[in-house]
PDB file of all heavy atoms in Angstrom:
ATOM      1  N   GLN U  10      15.092   1.172  21.495  1.00 92.00           N
ATOM      2  CA  GLN U  10      15.175   2.616  21.350  1.00 92.00           C
ATOM      3  C   GLN U  10      16.117   3.062  20.239  1.00 92.00           C
ATOM      4  O   GLN U  10      15.874   4.085  19.602  1.00 92.00           O
ATOM      5  CB  GLN U  10      15.572   3.251  22.685  1.00 92.00           C
ATOM      6  CG  GLN U  10      14.480   3.073  23.726  1.00 92.00           C
ATOM      7  CD  GLN U  10      14.888   3.594  25.079  1.00 92.00           C
ATOM      8  OE1 GLN U  10      16.021   3.448  25.499  1.00 92.00           O
ATOM      9  NE2 GLN U  10      13.930   4.215  25.765  1.00 92.00           N
ATOM     10  N   VAL U  11      17.197   2.326  20.011  1.00 88.00           N
ATOM     11  CA  VAL U  11      18.161   2.698  18.966  1.00 88.00           C
ATOM     12  C   VAL U  11      18.598   1.448  18.199  1.00 88.00           C
ATOM     13  O   VAL U  11      18.605   0.346  18.742  1.00 88.00           O
ATOM     14  CB  VAL U  11      19.416   3.421  19.551  1.00 88.00           C
ATOM     15  CG1 VAL U  11      19.053   4.747  20.166  1.00 88.00           C
ATOM     16  CG2 VAL U  11      20.138   2.554  20.556  1.00 88.00           C
ATOM     17  N   PRO U  12      18.969   1.595  16.920  1.00 85.00           N
ATOM     18  CA  PRO U  12      19.449   0.454  16.149  1.00 85.00           C
ATOM     19  C   PRO U  12      20.690  -0.170  16.801  1.00 85.00           C
ATOM     20  O   PRO U  12      21.545   0.525  17.327  1.00 85.00           O
ATOM     21  CB  PRO U  12      19.807   1.051  14.784  1.00 85.00           C
ATOM     22  CG  PRO U  12      19.020   2.306  14.691  1.00 85.00           C
ATOM     23  CD  PRO U  12      18.919   2.824  16.104  1.00 85.00           C
ATOM     24  N   GLY U  13      20.737  -1.488  16.775  1.00 84.00           N
ATOM     25  CA  GLY U  13      21.897  -2.215  17.273  1.00 84.00           C
ATOM     26  C   GLY U  13      21.917  -2.463  18.770  1.00 84.00           C
ATOM     27  O   GLY U  13      22.760  -3.197  19.269  1.00 84.00           O
ATOM     28  N   GLN U  14      20.994  -1.900  19.518  1.00 86.00           N
ATOM     29  CA  GLN U  14      20.961  -2.034  20.983  1.00 86.00           C
ATOM     30  C   GLN U  14      20.629  -3.476  21.362  1.00 86.00           C
ATOM     31  O   GLN U  14      19.604  -4.010  20.948  1.00 86.00           O
ATOM     32  CB  GLN U  14      19.890  -1.086  21.515  1.00 86.00           C
ATOM     33  CG  GLN U  14      19.910  -0.846  22.980  1.00 86.00           C
ATOM     34  CD  GLN U  14      18.870   0.224  23.341  1.00 86.00           C
ATOM     35  OE1 GLN U  14      17.815   0.291  22.738  1.00 86.00           O
ATOM     36  NE2 GLN U  14      19.198   1.052  24.295  1.00 86.00           N
ATOM     37  N   LYS U  15      21.510  -4.121  22.159  1.00 87.00           N
ATOM     38  CA  LYS U  15      21.295  -5.526  22.522  1.00 87.00           C
ATOM     39  C   LYS U  15      21.675  -5.841  23.964  1.00 87.00           C
ATOM     40  O   LYS U  15      21.837  -6.996  24.316  1.00 87.00           O
ATOM     41  CB  LYS U  15      22.130  -6.446  21.620  1.00 87.00           C
ATOM     42  CG  LYS U  15      21.670  -6.530  20.207  1.00 87.00           C
ATOM     43  CD  LYS U  15      22.492  -7.564  19.469  1.00 87.00           C
ATOM     44  CE  LYS U  15      22.176  -7.576  18.013  1.00 87.00           C
ATOM     45  NZ  LYS U  15      22.978  -8.546  17.278  1.00 87.00           N
ATOM     46  N   ASP U  16      21.815  -4.845  24.817  1.00 91.00           N
ATOM     47  CA  ASP U  16      22.183  -5.127  26.204  1.00 91.00           C
ATOM     48  C   ASP U  16      21.015  -5.822  26.911  1.00 91.00           C
ATOM     49  O   ASP U  16      19.881  -5.823  26.446  1.00 91.00           O
ATOM     50  CB  ASP U  16      22.573  -3.824  26.923  1.00 91.00           C
ATOM     51  CG  ASP U  16      21.450  -2.820  26.912  1.00 91.00           C
ATOM     52  OD1 ASP U  16      21.354  -2.041  25.934  1.00 91.00           O
ATOM     53  OD2 ASP U  16      20.650  -2.814  27.867  1.00 91.00           O
ATOM     54  N   ASP U  17      21.290  -6.458  28.059  1.00 93.00           N
ATOM     55  CA  ASP U  17      20.282  -7.238  28.768  1.00 93.00           C
ATOM     56  C   ASP U  17      19.035  -6.422  29.111  1.00 93.00           C
ATOM     57  O   ASP U  17      17.906  -6.900  28.955  1.00 93.00           O
ATOM     58  CB  ASP U  17      20.871  -7.857  30.037  1.00 93.00           C
ATOM     59  CG  ASP U  17      21.849  -8.973  29.743  1.00 93.00           C
ATOM     60  OD1 ASP U  17      21.812  -9.527  28.619  1.00 93.00           O
ATOM     61  OD2 ASP U  17      22.653  -9.301  30.635  1.00 93.00           O
ATOM     62  N   ALA U  18      19.221  -5.213  29.581  1.00 94.00           N
ATOM     63  CA  ALA U  18      18.074  -4.377  29.954  1.00 94.00           C
ATOM     64  C   ALA U  18      17.197  -4.084  28.726  1.00 94.00           C
ATOM     65  O   ALA U  18      15.966  -4.114  28.804  1.00 94.00           O
ATOM     66  CB  ALA U  18      18.533  -3.072  30.599  1.00 94.00           C
ATOM     67  N   SER U  19      17.826  -3.832  27.585  1.00 94.00           N
ATOM     68  CA  SER U  19      17.071  -3.551  26.362  1.00 94.00           C
ATOM     69  C   SER U  19      16.314  -4.782  25.882  1.00 94.00           C
ATOM     70  O   SER U  19      15.173  -4.677  25.417  1.00 94.00           O
ATOM     71  CB  SER U  19      17.999  -3.062  25.253  1.00 94.00           C
ATOM     72  OG  SER U  19      18.585  -1.846  25.618  1.00 94.00           O
ATOM     73  N   LEU U  20      16.930  -5.946  25.995  1.00 93.00           N
ATOM     74  CA  LEU U  20      16.263  -7.181  25.587  1.00 93.00           C
ATOM     75  C   LEU U  20      15.058  -7.463  26.489  1.00 93.00           C
ATOM     76  O   LEU U  20      13.990  -7.858  26.000  1.00 93.00           O
ATOM     77  CB  LEU U  20      17.240  -8.350  25.604  1.00 93.00           C
ATOM     78  CG  LEU U  20      18.351  -8.289  24.545  1.00 93.00           C
ATOM     79  CD1 LEU U  20      19.375  -9.387  24.787  1.00 93.00           C
ATOM     80  CD2 LEU U  20      17.783  -8.384  23.138  1.00 93.00           C
ATOM     81  N   ARG U  21      15.209  -7.261  27.803  1.00 94.00           N
ATOM     82  CA  ARG U  21      14.088  -7.451  28.740  1.00 94.00           C
ATOM     83  C   ARG U  21      12.963  -6.463  28.434  1.00 94.00           C
ATOM     84  O   ARG U  21      11.779  -6.802  28.469  1.00 94.00           O
ATOM     85  CB  ARG U  21      14.545  -7.319  30.191  1.00 94.00           C
ATOM     86  CG  ARG U  21      15.336  -8.537  30.688  1.00 94.00           C
ATOM     87  CD  ARG U  21      15.509  -8.528  32.198  1.00 94.00           C
ATOM     88  NE  ARG U  21      16.096  -7.299  32.717  1.00 94.00           N
ATOM     89  CZ  ARG U  21      17.400  -7.022  32.782  1.00 94.00           C
ATOM     90  NH1 ARG U  21      18.272  -7.924  32.343  1.00 94.00           N
ATOM     91  NH2 ARG U  21      17.832  -5.885  33.278  1.00 94.00           N
ATOM     92  N   ARG U  22      13.337  -5.222  28.137  1.00 95.00           N
ATOM     93  CA  ARG U  22      12.344  -4.194  27.788  1.00 95.00           C
ATOM     94  C   ARG U  22      11.579  -4.608  26.536  1.00 95.00           C
ATOM     95  O   ARG U  22      10.349  -4.502  26.475  1.00 95.00           O
ATOM     96  CB  ARG U  22      13.055  -2.855  27.562  1.00 95.00           C
ATOM     97  CG  ARG U  22      12.137  -1.732  27.131  1.00 95.00           C
ATOM     98  CD  ARG U  22      12.969  -0.442  26.872  1.00 95.00           C
ATOM     99  NE  ARG U  22      12.148   0.634  26.433  1.00 95.00           N
ATOM    100  CZ  ARG U  22      11.817   0.893  25.156  1.00 95.00           C
ATOM    101  NH1 ARG U  22      12.285   0.133  24.189  1.00 95.00           N
ATOM    102  NH2 ARG U  22      11.048   1.912  24.845  1.00 95.00           N
ATOM    103  N   ALA U  23      12.292  -5.090  25.527  1.00 95.00           N
ATOM    104  CA  ALA U  23      11.645  -5.515  24.278  1.00 95.00           C
ATOM    105  C   ALA U  23      10.689  -6.682  24.534  1.00 95.00           C
ATOM    106  O   ALA U  23       9.569  -6.695  23.991  1.00 95.00           O
ATOM    107  CB  ALA U  23      12.704  -5.904  23.253  1.00 95.00           C
ATOM    108  N   GLU U  24      11.102  -7.637  25.357  1.00 95.00           N
ATOM    109  CA  GLU U  24      10.229  -8.762  25.696  1.00 95.00           C
ATOM    110  C   GLU U  24       8.966  -8.269  26.395  1.00 95.00           C
ATOM    111  O   GLU U  24       7.860  -8.745  26.110  1.00 95.00           O
ATOM    112  CB  GLU U  24      10.961  -9.767  26.582  1.00 95.00           C
ATOM    113  CG  GLU U  24      11.997 -10.580  25.843  1.00 95.00           C
ATOM    114  CD  GLU U  24      12.831 -11.450  26.772  1.00 95.00           C
ATOM    115  OE1 GLU U  24      12.762 -11.282  28.021  1.00 95.00           O
ATOM    116  OE2 GLU U  24      13.543 -12.315  26.251  1.00 95.00           O
ATOM    117  N   LEU U  25       9.119  -7.329  27.314  1.00 96.00           N
ATOM    118  CA  LEU U  25       7.976  -6.779  28.037  1.00 96.00           C
ATOM    119  C   LEU U  25       7.019  -6.049  27.084  1.00 96.00           C
ATOM    120  O   LEU U  25       5.800  -6.234  27.150  1.00 96.00           O
ATOM    121  CB  LEU U  25       8.438  -5.832  29.141  1.00 96.00           C
ATOM    122  CG  LEU U  25       7.316  -5.097  29.886  1.00 96.00           C
ATOM    123  CD1 LEU U  25       6.442  -6.082  30.648  1.00 96.00           C
ATOM    124  CD2 LEU U  25       7.887  -4.054  30.829  1.00 96.00           C
ATOM    125  N   ILE U  26       7.569  -5.242  26.193  1.00 97.00           N
ATOM    126  CA  ILE U  26       6.731  -4.513  25.237  1.00 97.00           C
ATOM    127  C   ILE U  26       5.961  -5.494  24.352  1.00 97.00           C
ATOM    128  O   ILE U  26       4.751  -5.364  24.170  1.00 97.00           O
ATOM    129  CB  ILE U  26       7.571  -3.549  24.386  1.00 97.00           C
ATOM    130  CG1 ILE U  26       8.081  -2.388  25.250  1.00 97.00           C
ATOM    131  CG2 ILE U  26       6.763  -3.014  23.193  1.00 97.00           C
ATOM    132  CD1 ILE U  26       9.126  -1.530  24.580  1.00 97.00           C
ATOM    133  N   LEU U  27       6.648  -6.483  23.828  1.00 96.00           N
ATOM    134  CA  LEU U  27       5.995  -7.446  22.936  1.00 96.00           C
ATOM    135  C   LEU U  27       4.945  -8.258  23.690  1.00 96.00           C
ATOM    136  O   LEU U  27       3.828  -8.465  23.196  1.00 96.00           O
ATOM    137  CB  LEU U  27       7.043  -8.350  22.301  1.00 96.00           C
ATOM    138  CG  LEU U  27       6.683  -9.087  21.033  1.00 96.00           C
ATOM    139  CD1 LEU U  27       6.079  -8.170  19.980  1.00 96.00           C
ATOM    140  CD2 LEU U  27       7.899  -9.785  20.468  1.00 96.00           C
ATOM    141  N   SER U  28       5.258  -8.671  24.902  1.00 96.00           N
ATOM    142  CA  SER U  28       4.299  -9.403  25.719  1.00 96.00           C
ATOM    143  C   SER U  28       3.062  -8.558  26.006  1.00 96.00           C
ATOM    144  O   SER U  28       1.921  -9.030  25.900  1.00 96.00           O
ATOM    145  CB  SER U  28       4.962  -9.826  27.031  1.00 96.00           C
ATOM    146  OG  SER U  28       4.024 -10.390  27.903  1.00 96.00           O
TER     147      SER U  28
END
Side-chain angles (χ1 to χ4, degrees):
Q10 294 175 321
V11 295
Q14 193 175 36
K15 289 186 187 179
D16 59 273
D17 289 340
S19 296
L20 293 172
R21 285 193 306 276
R22 177 182 179 272
E24 287 173 349
L25 175 64
I26 290 169
L27 200 49
S28 173

